[in-house]
Amino acid sequence: MPVRSALMTVMVRAADKAARGLKRDFGEVENLQVSKKGPADFVTTADLKAERVLKEELAKARPDYGFLMEESGASGGSGGSEGRRWVVDPLDGTTNFLHGLPHFAISIGLEERGEIVAALIYDPIKDELFHAEKGSGAYLNDRRLRVSGRTRMEDALIGTGIPFKGHGEHGTFAGEVERVSAEVAGVRRWGAASLDLAYVAAGRLDGFWERGLSPWDIAAGALLVREAGGYLTAIDGRPWTLEGDAILAANSYLHKPLSALVLGRKDATKSA
Ligand code: IPD
Ligand code: CA
Ligand code: CA
């Protein structure tokens, strides 16, 4: 069993507190489905509340760290000499949450000089805590994670995100999914990018690609995938930075062929 560092203990404590609220609110959302207006406003409040709790708890434990949060943007301390800041999505999978689908997560990444050095993704409904620190491996609860060992596209289960109204390039996606789905065992759209990446780290998905994401969707998942032995890059194989909104993650065997399929190229740039 890994000994949890002081830093990870802080992250887990904050996530636990926010998760208790989200779980309670999720129960309420299920009741609100039948109302005409639906639970939209209620969910917005739940989301904001979770962000507030996370911010309070993290700031209490590490007062000099800054924040980049989905709802409140960039704020807070200088992050000291290492420029540390938390990159947080308080509720990833909002549409699932809103519809009573039990698949959503809290995602917390810690950035240090532009690099993610600690990651936590917590799915409160399944009670699955994915976590990683740079150089120390990736874990699901207390179990060490490895990306899948599958080598053939025809055996691979691939995750993605589908553009939705007012968001993303529908035509581009249609071409990508046509090419990928023709070659693989299955394509899934689960609706929470952080968990998609955690599932690549856990070997549940063999690969994942999505465009139009934000730093808080990717930050924690990027470290998890890498610490589990996988590759996470821009879609064409170039290095991913926190500003990059389109990503591709997979094990070392499938990263290059998946990139080639998504891009519709015979060749693909080298896996990073
Ligand atoms: C969304 C989810 C979803 C992805 C969207 C994200 P949200 O985040 O991660 O899977 O396809 O692009 O915006 O809005 O639920 O925090
Ligand atoms: Ca998100
Ligand atoms: Ca969110």
Side-chain angles (χ1 to χ4, degrees):
M1 203 193 280
V3 181
R4 229 167 245 172
S5 70
L7 175 68
M8 192 51 65
T9 304
V10 163
M11 293 164 73
V12 171
R13 222 175 265 151
D16 241 3
K17 190 160 179 193
R20 279 201 292 276
L22 282 180
K23 255 170 96 165
R24 225 178 298 120
D25 292 339
F26 185 67
E28 194 52 37
V29 158
E30 289 177 316
N31 299 329
L32 291 170
Q33 295 301 338
V34 291
S35 74
K36 275 240 173 63
K37 199 163 143 272
D41 292 345
F42 181 81
V43 170
T44 307
T45 310
D47 192 358
L48 290 170
K49 210 165 56 191
E51 179 159 313
R52 206 171 47 239
V53 169
L54 289 168
K55 196 167 183 178
E56 266 167 28
E57 291 299 309
L58 294 170
K60 221 189 304 170
R62 295 288 186 274
D64 56 336
Y65 292 11
F67 288 94
L68 177 62
M69 305 191 101
E70 180 172 16
E71 309 302 335
S72 55
S75 67
S78 65
S81 53
E82 284 95 12
R84 289 193 172 139
R85 66 172 178 173
W86 304 107
V87 184
V88 178
D89 192 339
L91 172 56
D92 187 41
T94 323
T95 307
N96 286 345
F97 190 97
L98 180 66
H99 287 259
L101 276 168
H103 187 77
F104 54 87
I106 291 167
S107 177
I108 307 174
L110 179 63
E111 184 192 356
E112 185 180 294
R113 296 198 187 98
E115 211 190 340
I116 308 301
V117 295
L120 174 154
I121 296 171
Y122 182 50
D123 174 343
I125 301 298
K126 302 178 199 74
D127 193 23
E128 289 193 323
L129 176 71
F130 299 88
H131 56 103
E133 284 183 78
K134 192 165 175 255
S136 305
Y139 294 85
L140 164 50
N141 298 327
D142 290 323
R143 184 166 62 80
R144 182 89 188 241
L145 296 179
R146 284 295 299 172
V147 290
S148 87
R150 288 195 186 83
T151 57
R152 300 185 318 173
M153 268 301 174
E154 63 198 85
D155 300 325
L157 187 62
I158 305 295
T160 188
I162 305 177
F164 43 94
K165 188 168 175 168
H167 189 98
E169 286 284 327
H170 300 266
T172 304
F173 178 76
E176 291 174 352
V177 82
E178 185 179 354
R179 289 188 294 277
V180 174
S181 62
E183 301 295 333
V184 302
V187 177
R188 297 288 181 271
R189 199 297 190 237
W190 284 100
S194 60
L195 287 174
D196 290 325
L197 291 172
Y199 284 13
V200 172
R204 293 173 177 174
L205 290 173
D206 302 296
F208 172 74
W209 91 97
E210 184 165 355
R211 297 179 186 276
L213 291 170
S214 300
W216 42 82
D217 297 318
I218 310 169
L223 182 64
L224 269 159
V225 168
R226 288 172 178 162
E227 286 296 321
Y231 289 153
L232 182 138
T233 65
I235 289 183
D236 63 3
R238 274 182 249 192
W240 169 78
T241 63
L242 209 56
E243 291 75 44
D245 72 339
I247 53 160
L248 190 137
N251 68 26
S252 60
Y253 311 108
L254 299 178
H255 185 273
K256 200 170 161 182
L258 180 60
S259 169
L261 273 177
V262 171
L263 295 172
R265 294 211 300 233
K266 289 248 155 29
D267 66 306
T269 55
K270 250 180 60 239
S271 293

